[in-house]
Amino acid sequence: MAVTTLPVSSSLLSVGDLTVRVTAPARLAEALDRYLADFLPLGTSPVHGAVHLRIDTGTAEAAEGWHPAGDVEPVAGVRYRVYRGPDGERRFVLAADALEQRAPYTVTAAGSSVILRLPPEDEDDAPRLALRILREVALRWHENAGGVLLHAAGVELGAGGVVLCGPAGSGKTTTMTALLHRPGARLLAGDRLVVTADGRFLGVPTPVAVAGGTVTAYPRIRPALEHARPLTAGLPCEFGTRAKAEVPPSPYAAAFGAALGTAFPAKRSVIVLPRFTDSDQPARLRHLGSEAAADALTANCFTPYDEFWRRPWVWPLTLPDTDLADHARRTCRALAESVPCLQLSYGIRSSAADLQHALDTLIPSGDRDAHC
């Protein structure tokens, strides 16, 4: 029987400290590289771990001969049937997708290799599915290595950076956007950061969720909205709205002449906890004591439970949830005791210039290292 070998393309990427080789059919290479470049900084970091993600197209793989191992629902409404192979491989077969109504596809994990197989008619979805898998693998790899996930945005400035930590609607994105005006600023991440065991902040490749009020205050964002999902027609400006556009981080940063960052050390950072209100209160910064700061960081810590990616699936965690939670609390307390933590109060009906002035006072244009 003749065997046809399709041409393949291979790319080497960095997701935090994890190096990932992505192999895909050559016809998908351009779209895949373009999509991933919108979320990941160029270049590679030193290898701390390595994973191979292979993308195949064809009919969904059956699981005959594999043993059923229950279901997993990593995101509400997205459910996989789990099977285990004879050598410990794990295969996830999409059983239900209430979010996007996708056709069945499979994800198979064995050792440091992950294979995504999807129907030919869904090839256009390969880049987005690949990024979801890369994010899942990278998050769990970093947590297994002692990292802790925070609900936070990050902007790299010089040798250090600013961490913006808080729940949805607290003002992280608006504050991050104000910081991107700074010369030399680099966007680390818009919604999730990992603090590593050796004391660095790493970005997690997620979209920037931006509401109409932020766009109104910073109209330079508008060109980036061309890359947004969903469409931004009628993007509401009401305070606290959950209707937001999702913009890839690279074009978002590029709207301000900035690029994506890679990491910055915690010892050269400032942690800001925004608290925006629907008022005309001027921007005000105040230092938090270590107890209050530790409580705030712990409340916005997503190890071991993320509010959106509820449970790990492709890449298992090696420690029990109780151990991970204890480690996360200790990490948050250590950050609160060693890194300046400030609360930023700001009324959205005050001027954007007032917010900008407060941040300029916090982080002078001069010696960044001296400040930290």
Side-chain angles (χ1 to χ4, degrees):
M1 179 178 63
V3 177
T4 303
T5 302
L6 297 177
V8 297
S9 174
S10 185
S11 301
L12 195 64
L13 307 168
S14 289
V15 189
D17 285 341
L18 186 65
T19 298
V20 182
R21 182 174 296 282
V22 180
T23 303
R27 63 183 177 277
L28 300 180
E30 183 178 350
L32 183 66
D33 290 347
R34 184 171 59 249
Y35 185 86
L36 294 179
D38 277 347
F39 288 86
L40 299 170
L42 298 175
T44 58
S45 60
V47 177
H48 294 275
V51 170
H52 180 202
L53 171 63
R54 195 179 90 205
I55 300 172
D56 290 339
T57 58
T59 55
E61 293 176 299
E64 287 84 356
W66 291 50
H67 300 291
D71 288 4
V72 63
E73 192 173 6
V75 176
V78 180
R79 182 167 51 86
Y80 298 89
R81 293 209 167 89
V82 186
Y83 299 84
R84 290 194 176 273
D87 297 320
E89 310 98 317
R90 285 161 291 119
R91 178 166 294 165
F92 305 87
V93 181
L94 182 67
D97 187 344
L99 298 182
E100 296 180 312
Q101 309 298 325
R102 293 186 184 277
Y105 60 85
T106 63
V107 178
T108 303
S112 60
S113 176
V114 179
I115 302 170
L116 165 64
R117 187 176 181 86
L118 70 165
E121 61 270 21
D122 287 346
E123 284 186 0
D124 290 345
D125 287 339
R128 283 199 294 151
L129 290 172
L131 181 67
R132 290 183 185 183
I133 293 169
L134 291 179
R135 183 168 51 221
E136 157 72 14
V137 170
L139 278 175
R140 307 316 170 193
W141 186 91
H142 283 98
E143 286 179 314
N144 286 338
V148 169
L149 179 65
L150 296 177
H151 194 184
V155 178
E156 187 178 339
L157 295 167
V162 181
V163 173
L164 307 162
C165 187
S170 60
K172 296 190 300 295
T173 300
T174 301
T175 311
M176 177 195 79
T177 303
L179 289 169
L180 287 175
H181 279 81
R182 301 297 296 268
R186 298 168 71 88
L187 174 56
L188 195 61
D191 200 54
R192 300 289 197 279
L193 290 179
V194 171
V195 55
T196 65
D198 62 356
R200 291 171 297 127
F201 286 106
L202 303 175
V204 177
T206 58
V208 177
V210 58
T214 303
V215 177
T216 299
Y218 297 96
R220 288 177 64 180
I221 298 170
R222 294 189 184 280
L225 296 180
E226 297 177 3
H227 303 265
R229 295 183 63 247
L231 297 177
T232 55
L235 194 62
C237 294
E238 290 84 1
F239 178 71
T241 179
R242 292 191 173 272
K244 299 182 179 182
E246 294 187 346
V247 184
S250 182
Y252 196 92
F256 300 92
L260 297 185
T262 54
F264 55 78
K267 66 181 180 181
R268 291 180 175 172
S269 68
V270 176
I271 297 175
V272 175
L273 296 113
R275 181 184 287 177
F276 284 22
T277 57
D278 190 3
S279 71
D280 59 1
Q281 175 189 355
R284 177 175 175 264
L285 284 157
R286 69 178 182 90
H287 282 269
L288 291 178
S290 60
E291 287 294 327
D295 289 345
L297 292 173
T298 302
N300 292 285
C301 178
F302 282 162
T303 295
Y305 304 114
D306 189 295
E307 67 177 9
F308 185 73
W309 305 301
R310 302 190 306 181
R311 300 298 307 164
W313 58 296
V314 176
W315 208 263
L317 291 169
T318 56
L319 292 175
D321 287 352
T322 51
D323 291 356
L324 289 167
D326 288 343
H327 173 64
R329 282 192 291 269
R330 291 193 299 270
T331 299
C332 290
R333 179 161 295 279
L335 282 174
E337 292 173 349
S338 61
V339 177
C341 296
L342 301 98
Q343 185 175 85
L344 169 63
S345 302
Y346 172 67
I348 58 142
R349 299 185 185 279
S350 184
S351 70
D354 181 62
L355 174 62
Q356 203 76 45
H357 176 71
L359 293 173
D360 287 345
T361 303
L362 166 68
I363 308 151
S365 299
D367 185 354
R368 175 80 185 109
D369 290 344
H371 174 72
C372 295

